[in-house]
Amino acid sequence: MKNRLRIYGILWKQYLFKYRWWILFVFAFAAVFGAAGGKSGDKERDYKGIAAGVCWSDEKGGELVARLEREKGIFRFRGFENVSEMVREVENGSLECGYELSENFYEGLLKGEAKRQVTLYYSPASSAHKISFEIVFVNLFEMLSEDILRGFLEETGFGKGTEQDAEDVERLLALNKQYAENGSTFHFVYETTREKDGKAPENLNGFRGFMAVMMFLMCLLGLGNALEQEHIWRALPGRLGGQVKSGYIHVAVFGSIITGGLCLLLQGMLSGRGGFGKEMAALLVYAAVLELYVRALNLFIKDSRGVYGLLPALVLGSFLFSPVFIRMENYLPAVTWISKIFPATYYLELFFL
């Protein structure tokens, strides 16, 4: 037991000396983030989002713009009454894209005249417009829902008879609105995104997400360093080499967790949603996930150069596909499976249960 404690003491000393500058960098980042006003816990932050414009010329266009301006998501919609002004802002990069609603576009859509009712302007250097379609048309079809139902009832002659029939129509319209709001049937909705009313992407805690990726990166660096010393582990007698290498991986994992946990504590996040207990439980779960991930990676990669070669892809993939700054699967459902490749996903998802 004493020998094991002595070994772990040596490994911790080596780990802290090897990564002292990296650890100081992470703490310095946390301090700068807090000084810049990033200390927000789990509170919603003022996130400007991706700017998109909508040019309208009639009452229904104004109603759609009002809906979009209230929309919570990665897009921040602005209304324009002058299309040339909107196009100019798209061209100079102030807007990622802009929608021009033709006059009486709403009436045209109700008549089935879907062509040339909405014109999209976007910068050739941007692809953000590709995920803005859904937000615009979800709101548009929510507006159309009641009028489509009313038109259907009129075509079938319902409501054109007695006063009682007219009252029945109003009750049906009220039921349609109720069912549309609670997700039941008997409503007209255009929607392809799962959980449209789920967690707004900008409400994700960016600092926690950043630290999750940093902890993952530190574990990968620890694995790379362990593989660099493979010749030393093999030179040790008996099973001692394997035990020391395994202990070094333990130290690398828990060293990253302790560093990340202290940074979160400095930001006041360990007393956030769910309390201190949930935060600590999440960190312990993340430690187990990182331990398994690193050991599984070591089964396929036996050289430190292989680990270092994968670092850019794994880190960038974590930022893109894990819910660090945006829940990408809300807009590209296929990303759900890709995100499972990156351990930061499992840690961050614990805060949405």
Side-chain angles (χ1 to χ4, degrees):
M1 184 64 181
K2 290 183 179 180
N3 289 336
R4 186 178 293 273
L5 290 175
R6 188 178 298 112
I7 289 173
Y8 271 99
I10 295 172
L11 293 175
W12 272 108
K13 182 178 179 180
Q14 182 186 7
Y15 176 83
L16 292 173
F17 180 79
K18 177 78 175 179
Y19 296 107
R20 62 189 186 282
W21 296 114
W22 179 253
I23 293 172
L24 287 174
F25 165 76
V26 175
F27 279 118
F29 173 82
V32 171
F33 187 90
K39 185 176 180 179
S40 59
D42 282 327
K43 297 179 181 179
E44 294 185 4
R45 288 167 294 173
D46 183 17
Y47 177 81
K48 293 183 178 180
I50 301 173
V54 183
C55 183
W56 52 279
S57 57
D58 57 18
E59 182 180 350
K60 284 296 183 180
E63 182 181 343
L64 177 59
V65 171
R67 280 174 168 266
L68 292 170
E69 288 177 340
R70 295 193 300 268
E71 183 75 25
K72 292 183 178 180
I74 62 172
F75 284 92
R76 174 174 48 90
F77 289 92
R78 291 171 50 198
F80 291 84
E81 295 186 12
N82 188 317
V83 67
S84 60
E85 179 185 353
M86 183 182 73
V87 172
R88 185 166 57 253
E89 294 209 19
V90 172
E91 291 175 345
N92 65 28
S94 299
L95 296 176
E96 293 290 333
C97 59
Y99 291 83
E100 180 188 3
L101 309 177
S102 62
E103 191 173 358
N104 300 322
F105 81 100
Y106 191 83
E107 290 76 4
L109 290 177
L110 283 176
K111 294 176 182 178
E113 300 171 359
K115 293 184 179 179
R116 292 182 293 277
Q117 298 298 321
V118 179
T119 303
L120 174 65
Y121 301 90
Y122 62 92
S123 169
S126 172
S127 59
H129 64 280
K130 294 180 180 179
I131 56 175
S132 68
F133 299 152
E134 184 179 334
I135 302 171
V136 173
F137 286 101
V138 163
N139 283 276
L140 177 56
F141 275 80
E142 284 179 355
M143 287 173 54
L144 287 167
S145 176
E146 182 175 317
D147 290 329
I148 291 174
L149 178 57
R150 188 187 297 274
F152 172 76
L153 295 175
E154 289 178 355
E155 288 177 6
T156 57
F158 193 77
K160 292 184 177 180
T162 64
E163 184 177 340
Q164 182 63 39
D165 288 340
E167 292 177 0
D168 290 340
V169 169
E170 294 304 319
R171 278 197 294 271
L172 282 173
L173 293 174
L175 284 172
N176 174 63
K177 182 177 180 181
Q178 174 187 332
Y179 295 156
E181 289 176 351
N182 66 20
S184 185
T185 57
F186 192 63
H187 62 289
F188 298 88
V189 175
Y190 172 85
E191 185 171 353
T192 59
T193 295
R194 176 176 57 86
E195 299 177 354
K196 172 180 176 292
D197 295 324
K199 175 63 66 176
E202 71 274 20
N203 290 340
L204 298 181
N205 194 304
F207 182 79
R208 179 182 284 113
F210 180 86
M211 291 311 306
V213 179
M214 288 300 100
M215 287 185 271
F216 177 41
L217 174 58
M218 292 176 71
C219 288
L220 292 175
L221 292 174
L223 174 61
N225 189 47
L227 292 176
E228 286 178 357
Q229 302 181 72
E230 191 72 39
H231 64 285
I232 298 177
W233 314 136
R234 290 177 180 175
L236 296 175
R239 300 170 56 186
L240 182 60
Q243 292 175 353
V244 173
K245 178 183 177 181
S246 179
Y248 189 84
I249 292 176
H250 282 311
V251 169
V253 170
F254 280 95
S256 69
I257 292 295
I258 292 172
T259 302
L262 289 174
C263 288
L264 291 172
L265 182 63
L266 288 175
Q267 292 297 312
M269 293 179 186
L270 291 187
S271 58
R273 182 187 306 167
F276 182 83
K278 181 175 180 178
E279 297 277 357
M280 293 304 299
L283 286 171
L284 290 175
V285 170
Y286 194 33
V289 171
L290 289 174
E291 180 89 15
L292 292 173
Y293 193 96
V294 168
R295 292 188 181 277
L297 197 61
N298 190 30
L299 293 176
F300 300 96
I301 301 178
K302 304 296 184 180
D303 187 83
S304 60
R305 290 175 296 180
V307 175
Y308 297 144
L310 282 175
L311 277 180
L314 291 175
V315 172
L316 181 61
S318 297
F319 279 117
L320 288 176
F321 299 113
S322 297
V324 177
F325 302 114
I326 177 177
R327 293 181 67 85
M328 185 66 75
E329 65 268 23
N330 281 358
Y331 306 95
L332 299 172
V335 170
T336 302
W337 297 104
I338 300 176
S339 67
K340 303 303 181 185
I341 300 173
F342 306 99
T345 300
Y346 301 96
Y347 169 64
L348 297 174
E349 286 291 346
L350 291 174
F351 296 94
F352 304 108
L353 298 178

